[in-house]
Structure formats: C-alpha cells, structure tokens
Amino acid sequence: MKQLSFEQGPIRPPSEARSLLIRVTRNCNWNQCLFCTTYTDQRFSRRSVEEVQADIDVIAEIIEQAKALSWRMGLSGSIDTTVAQHLLDQPGVDYSYQTVIAWLYYGTNAVFLQDANNIILKADDLAAMLDYLNEKVPGISRITSYARTKTAARKSLEDLTRMRQAGLNRLHVGVESGDDVTLKLMKKGVTAAEHIEGGRKIVQAGMELSEYYMPGLGGRARWREHAQGTAHVANETNPHFIRLRTLHVIERHPLFQLIQNGEFALRTSSENIEEIRLFVESLDGITSHLVSDHMGNLLQDVEGRLPEDKPRMLAALDRYLDLDEDSRLHYRVGRLMGMYNGVKDMADDASFRQVEAAVTKIKKQFPGQVDEALSDAYGRLTRL
C-alpha cells in the first residue's frame, strides 16, 4: 500500500485522546508562561489554508485506503481490530497514519486542532480549513481547539461565530489562575478580567468552553487568592467544563529557577488538596462539569456536575484531608501505581497490601527523601 503521512503537533488534551489530530498553527504565539516548556525555542507560525487542506487530502486518502481494505476483507468498510492491525503492521507506518487508523477504530467522529491558539487565525481562513475538512471527511460531530482567552477577548463576536458556524464547537483555554498577581508572576500575559471577557465571548458565540485551573500555581504566598480568584472567573463565565491540572515543576521549567532563588515556594500535595477544596467551595451559581482527568492530579474522583455534585466532591476532598500522614503517603504511592483514583479505593484489601509493599520498598530506597522522590515521579507524569 502507498505510505501516507501528514504534519502533527506535540500535544492534545487527555479528553481528545481519541480525536483526529490536525495541525492548524505551529507552536504558541505567547510562549512565555513560566510553568510550560511545550514550545520552548520553537517559533510560532500560522499554517496556510493550502497547507492544511493538503494534510486533509492525505487524511481522506488514508481513510479511503483503510475502508477499501475493509471491503476486501468482507467487513463492509468497518474498521475492526483485524483491519486496524493489518494496516498498522505495514512497514514504514508513522505516527500520523496511526492516529487516523485509531480514530477510525474508536469511531469518535471528533477532531482536535493543534497547536496552542488557533483562533488567532483570520476567521475566514480557519473557516475555509474547516469547510474543506467537513467536505472531505463527512460525519464529524465535534471540532475542538486550544485557545487563549486574551485572543478571544480581542476577537469580534462575529469572527468567533463564523468559526463556530464552520464547525469549531469547543475551545480549551488555560485560565490557570484568576489572581492577577499570580498571572503576572507566571508571565501568563492575561488578566482575570480578560479571562472573563474572552470566556463569555466564546460562550456567546455558541461554543463549549473548557477552562483549565492549575492548583498550586499561587504557591504558599497566594494560594487563597489564587483559588478564590479562579473560582470567581469560573463563576463569571459558567464554562461547560472546568479541568484540574495540578502544578508539577521540573528543572526545565523557568519557574524552577524562581523556586531555587526563593522567589516562589511550592505547596505540598496535601496543601494543594486543601486549595482545591477552597476552589470547589467557592464555585457558586454555575452549571459547569468539574473534571479531574489527568494522572498528575492526586484525586481523580473529584468530578461531577455543579451544583448538584458539589457536596460529593467536597466529601471526596475531605476524605483525603482526614487521613493521617502515613495514610496520605500510602495513597500517593497507590495513585502513582494507578491503583487508586480516590481514597475510597484504599478499602480494597488486595490493592492496599500491594501498595503497602511498594511504600516499604520506597522508604528503603529513598531514606529521608520519600517526598522528593514522589514529587519527581509526579513531575514526569505531566510530560506524558
């Protein structure tokens, strides 16, 4: 078979793991946040309509190739495990080809546009790309992208509406914090007021809004202002989704130098849970879906619809805060092992014994430095 490939960007949200990935811009037009190294030393550029359309042509050809094989195998165009494996076993198959086959196999009909801020494009250009995508790949149900709230605040409602009419119906935005002091320190390049203006405009244009909050970003000095300020942004925008992304710092982050210099003090994992509790408690008058969908979050069972699930989410946080220090250490290890999503999971005897054996081993391997070892392990998870 003819080997086919097209350009891919470096990341996508966990919620878009089974989406078709199409790179619309390259890298990040801001690229100064102290907690991010995704696009370090990479220049931002806008891909042309023609470039993106050429990639869409390749995607359409891969789809046609896969379905033709399915018909030859007597499966009427469906992509089951047998067809997918046959296609992926071809020599020279690259990552972009694999993503299309996986997308066909899972049948999500969802598309994620890479990279960091695609609404910076002219509305007519992005619409031309999406119109072409829908023509060449019919049946798409959702098209999603990252975006900056500052860019959304500066865009006209007409431009955002034009993008939505072309099929862009969900935007993921990194609010990170609603505290202006924290935003300035982290060089986020946006204010809380711009977060609110941009978020409201996205919703007004008819798109789903997914806002990211970064527990720990306020450090020891601003944790209350950070939690309550971010809750204020959410209360003023009523996003469809609020996603937790706990701060984990590695040496490559510019923020690491501030920590070394004593200009920023990290909070512990347990203190971050205390912060998340204040954040959840401060959410009021909204109907958002709170999601903890990243392995770097300590508690993944803090998830639900507001306001009805708020008591349950607070209870999940309190279960952790009520643990003694040894039990908290045990839970953190179990979380890293993928055994626990919430404190309730510790009730399973088999899992508990397996985790406890790992705790004993870690204490022997890292005497007096268990917390540092676990923090390093969580930092590595943020790069997955």
Side-chain angles (χ1 to χ4, degrees):
M1 287 185 178
K2 177 183 177 183
Q3 294 303 311
L4 301 162
S5 66
F6 58 98
E7 188 168 334
Q8 296 275 271
I11 60 169
R12 45 81 183 148
S15 58
E16 304 293 338
R18 294 179 175 179
S19 296
L20 179 64
L21 305 179
I22 300 176
R23 196 175 200 181
V24 172
T25 59
R26 297 185 181 97
N27 309 311
C28 177
N29 63 299
W30 176 248
N31 203 19
Q32 296 182 46
C33 301
L34 298 189
F35 50 82
C36 179
T37 58
T38 303
Y39 306 104
T40 300
D41 298 327
Q42 301 297 312
R43 179 178 294 180
F44 172 78
S45 64
R46 298 166 173 82
R47 300 192 73 202
S48 69
V49 173
E50 292 74 21
E51 282 181 290
V52 175
Q53 288 179 340
D55 279 0
I56 293 168
D57 285 336
V58 174
I59 291 167
E61 192 170 350
I62 294 172
I63 293 170
E64 181 60 32
Q65 187 181 90
K67 290 187 175 181
L69 175 62
S70 173
W71 278 101
R72 288 197 300 273
M73 295 176 71
L75 294 170
S76 305
S78 65
I79 310 301
D80 68 358
T81 303
T82 303
V83 176
Q85 195 61 58
H86 186 92
L87 290 163
L88 296 176
D89 284 344
Q90 299 176 89
V93 167
D94 77 348
Y95 178 71
S96 66
Y97 188 98
Q98 293 171 16
T99 63
V100 179
I101 302 306
W103 180 70
L104 290 170
Y105 175 78
Y106 289 115
T108 64
N109 296 321
V111 173
F112 180 74
L113 306 178
Q114 301 170 297
D115 284 353
N117 187 29
N118 293 314
I119 64 170
I120 199 170
L121 293 174
K122 293 179 180 179
D124 286 344
D125 286 350
L126 186 58
M129 296 172 186
L130 299 185
D131 289 342
Y132 193 76
L133 173 63
N134 282 303
E135 175 191 338
K136 300 292 287 188
V137 186
I140 291 170
S141 59
R142 188 184 79 219
I143 301 176
T144 308
S145 174
Y146 282 132
R148 282 177 55 80
T149 52
K150 187 160 190 167
T151 303
R154 291 176 170 177
K155 283 283 184 182
S156 69
L157 181 59
E158 291 74 19
D159 278 350
L160 291 172
T161 302
R162 174 76 180 94
M163 295 175 181
R164 191 263 301 163
Q165 290 171 339
L168 182 61
N169 44 25
R170 181 185 294 175
L171 289 178
H172 293 267
V173 300
V175 166
E176 326 299 4
S177 179
D179 173 42
D180 282 337
V181 175
T182 298
L183 289 168
K184 184 176 181 180
L185 177 65
M186 295 299 153
K187 296 186 178 180
K188 180 66 181 172
V190 66
T191 65
E194 288 168 327
H195 276 328
I196 293 169
E197 182 183 358
R200 285 176 171 174
K201 196 175 284 186
I202 289 167
V203 173
Q204 193 176 355
M207 299 183 198
E208 289 185 341
L209 174 62
S210 179
E211 293 184 342
Y212 290 75
Y213 157 51
M214 189 172 284
L217 197 63
R220 291 189 176 276
R222 301 287 299 182
W223 74 272
R224 288 186 178 275
E225 294 87 349
H226 168 55
Q228 292 174 323
T230 313
H232 173 69
V233 169
N235 291 340
E236 290 297 312
T237 53
N238 193 16
H240 297 80
F241 301 93
I242 301 169
R243 301 183 188 274
L244 305 182
R245 290 291 184 276
T246 305
L247 173 68
H248 295 286
V249 182
I250 58 176
E251 288 189 17
R252 293 189 295 109
H253 288 154
L255 180 56
F256 181 80
Q257 193 59 53
L258 268 64
I259 296 170
Q260 295 295 100
N261 295 341
E263 298 175 61
F264 184 86
L266 287 169
R267 283 167 62 79
T268 66
S269 296
S270 296
E271 288 171 336
N272 283 338
I273 298 301
E274 180 185 17
E275 178 192 310
I276 294 170
R277 194 194 191 286
L278 177 60
F279 171 75
V280 174
E281 188 176 43
S282 302
L283 295 171
D284 183 51
I286 59 176
T287 56
S288 306
H289 185 191
L290 183 68
V291 184
S292 182
D293 60 350
H294 193 279
M295 183 60 187
N297 294 333
L298 193 58
L299 299 174
Q300 278 199 297
D301 62 346
V302 181
E303 188 162 312
R305 176 73 63 181
L306 295 161
E308 59 265 31
D309 293 330
K310 183 174 177 178
R312 179 175 57 76
M313 291 188 282
L314 291 173
L317 292 157
D318 287 337
R319 278 194 292 273
Y320 179 86
L321 293 172
D322 288 342
L323 296 174
D324 59 34
E325 287 303 317
D326 285 341
S327 297
R328 289 180 179 184
L329 173 61
H330 174 100
Y331 177 82
R332 290 175 67 199
V333 173
R335 180 79 187 106
L336 274 170
M337 294 172 65
M339 306 289 287
Y340 300 151
N341 288 320
V343 173
K344 281 185 175 181
D345 296 334
M346 294 170 66
D348 181 81
D349 288 340
S351 297
F352 189 92
R353 288 194 299 271
Q354 187 174 343
V355 173
E356 196 59 25
V359 171
T360 301
K361 184 176 180 180
I362 291 169
K363 285 181 176 179
K364 289 180 180 179
Q365 188 174 357
F366 301 99
Q369 295 183 313
V370 173
D371 281 340
E372 291 84 348
L374 293 182
S375 295
D376 181 62
Y378 272 103
R380 288 195 296 272
L381 283 174
T382 66
R383 303 196 292 276
L384 296 178

